[in-house]
């Protein structure tokens, strides 16, 4: 009886020592995930049904895409264009002419496809996939009788 009484506490204390390093490792903070960054071309385009202006002419492709999807806008005018570095840690911001600031954050980058969170306050927050080719169009609110559209593309797509 004496042997059993001494063995049980000894065995438990040995098990405690054996598992202690594992528990300590589990509680240690994980190394921070490596921050990723991506270059994104961002154009702000005003589309409307007022007139038939397509400026610059490169927006003709956008007009054709919209017509195929039954968006009957007749005027396409680029208001601004910029290259942004979009990262996983801090969102990149785009100031819009309607007074809103949209933000872009890189969620993940896998192969040739990036997933971005596009947040337009009081309108939408959506995740979009951006590849090396083509462009993504995201509504960004009303402005002077039309709609603002963010055109996101990879610099390689040009």
């Amino acid at each position: 009886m004496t042997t059993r009484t001494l063995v049980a506490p000894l065995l438990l204390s040995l098990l405690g020592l054996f598992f202690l390093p594992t528990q300590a490792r589990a509680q240690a903070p994980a190394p921070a995930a490596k921050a990723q960054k991506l270059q994104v071309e961002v154009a702000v385009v005003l589309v409307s049904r007022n007139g038939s202006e397509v400026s610059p002419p490169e927006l003709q492709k956008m007009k054709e895409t919209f017509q195929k999807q039954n968006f009957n806008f007749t005027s396409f005018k680029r208001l601004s264009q910029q290259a942004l570095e979009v990262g996983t840690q801090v969102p990149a911001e785009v100031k819009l002419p309607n007074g809103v600031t949209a933000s872009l954050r890189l969620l993940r980058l896998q192969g040739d496809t990036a997933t971005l969170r596009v947040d337009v306050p009081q309108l939408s927050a959506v995740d979009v996939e951006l590849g090396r080719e083509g462009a993504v169009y995201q509504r960004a609110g009303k402005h002077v009788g039309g709609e603002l559209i963010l055109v996101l593309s990879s610099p390689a797509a040009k």
Side-chain angles (χ1 to χ4, degrees):
M1 190 96 159
T2 316
T3 311
R4 271 191 174 166
T5 324
L6 292 176
V7 171
L10 181 61
L11 184 58
L12 287 176
S13 63
L14 287 175
L15 285 174
L17 289 174
F18 178 73
F19 287 111
L20 183 60
T22 305
Q23 291 172 345
R25 266 186 278 145
Q27 293 173 356
K34 184 179 176 190
Q36 294 180 310
K37 293 185 180 181
L38 176 72
Q39 290 293 318
V40 177
E41 289 287 328
V42 180
V44 178
V45 176
L46 177 64
V47 298
S48 72
R49 293 179 179 89
N50 301 328
S52 59
E53 178 182 18
V54 177
S55 176
E58 296 92 47
L59 293 180
Q60 184 64 36
K61 183 177 178 182
M62 181 180 178
K63 181 178 181 179
E64 292 167 4
T65 300
F66 275 46
Q67 286 175 337
K68 287 177 188 174
Q69 296 180 1
N70 293 321
F71 295 117
N72 297 317
F73 296 109
T74 55
S75 176
F76 292 73
K77 183 176 181 184
R78 183 169 58 210
L79 303 178
S80 67
Q81 184 170 9
Q82 60 185 315
L84 290 178
E85 187 173 74
V86 179
T88 54
Q89 303 297 323
V90 178
E93 294 185 340
V94 179
K95 296 201 184 296
L96 303 173
N98 61 358
V100 173
T101 300
S103 67
L104 307 172
R105 182 187 299 266
L106 178 63
L107 297 179
R108 69 189 150 273
L109 187 56
Q110 294 177 324
D112 287 345
T113 304
T115 303
L116 302 172
R117 166 68 48 103
V118 181
D119 187 7
V120 181
Q122 300 177 355
L123 188 62
S124 66
V126 296
D127 297 346
V128 299
E129 289 190 348
L130 181 63
R132 294 220 180 264
E133 296 181 11
V136 174
Y137 305 121
Q138 181 60 44
R139 184 172 171 253
K142 297 189 178 301
H143 184 62
V144 294
E147 293 281 338
L148 293 173
I149 306 292
L150 292 176
V151 181
L152 310 174
S153 62
S154 169
K158 292 199 158 223

